[in-house]
Amino acid sequence: MFAAAQPIEAPERSVSQAEAGPLVRTTVLLARVWELRDAQMVAILGGMQPESWRRWRAGRVEIVDRERLRRMALLRDIHVTTRTEAARLGAADWIRARQPRLDRRSPLEMMASGRIADLIRLRDAYAPLAA
């Protein structure tokens, strides 16, 4: 008998500056559009080191781990899916406003929880509007 095939898990590698740079720049721009403080972005990005965030803001991208890359991709997706809703109030005000679609939580409250699951929930709550 043959043994069941086991999936081979490749070790997770960091993402180079060249690969991550565009997404980091997008994330920095979103922080400006949403008028977020450094501490909020550090929490949203999964508790990264504040010094790393300041370097990113200054345009000095370093190697980025896969989890941080995923968070940044989700932030980009959130921006795309919520663009129409956010335009009504302005992005900075909308992100702080309690939303019926989010059980009266604000998008910022959800993002700042630090949980990827909340970023996914936020993106998915507005995905039907973006289609």
Side-chain angles (χ1 to χ4, degrees):
M1 293 201 126
F2 293 101
Q6 298 295 319
I8 298 173
E9 292 191 28
E12 195 164 301
R13 69 172 183 84
S14 295
V15 179
S16 73
Q17 176 182 355
E19 292 172 299
L23 201 48
V24 170
R25 288 189 295 278
T26 298
T27 301
V28 169
L29 287 172
L30 286 175
R32 287 185 194 142
V33 167
W34 291 335
E35 298 176 8
L36 300 179
R37 296 186 313 271
D38 289 351
Q40 290 168 314
M41 283 307 296
V42 164
I44 290 167
L45 292 170
M48 73 185 295
Q49 295 298 316
E51 300 80 32
S52 294
W53 171 247
R54 284 192 287 276
R55 282 193 297 274
W56 286 12
R57 265 195 8 239
R60 294 188 313 269
V61 178
E62 53 208 32
I63 293 174
V64 179
D65 63 64
R66 293 274 177 196
E67 179 186 338
R68 199 105 39 236
L69 195 69
R70 182 170 186 213
R71 288 171 183 275
M72 290 187 295
L74 285 165
L75 291 177
R76 180 205 53 218
D77 293 349
I78 289 166
H79 170 68
V80 169
T81 60
T82 63
R83 197 172 22 211
T84 303
E85 290 288 309
R88 294 180 193 164
L89 282 177
D93 291 330
W94 179 83
I95 207 154
R96 289 167 174 79
R98 300 203 176 277
Q99 303 293 327
R101 187 178 291 272
L102 305 175
D103 297 325
R104 307 293 309 153
R105 293 173 70 192
S106 72
L108 179 55
E109 184 181 351
M110 288 187 75
M111 290 190 302
S113 75
R115 294 186 300 265
I116 287 180
D118 282 344
L119 294 175
I120 294 168
R121 269 195 290 279
L122 177 56
R123 180 203 57 198
D124 291 351
Y126 288 90
L129 300 178

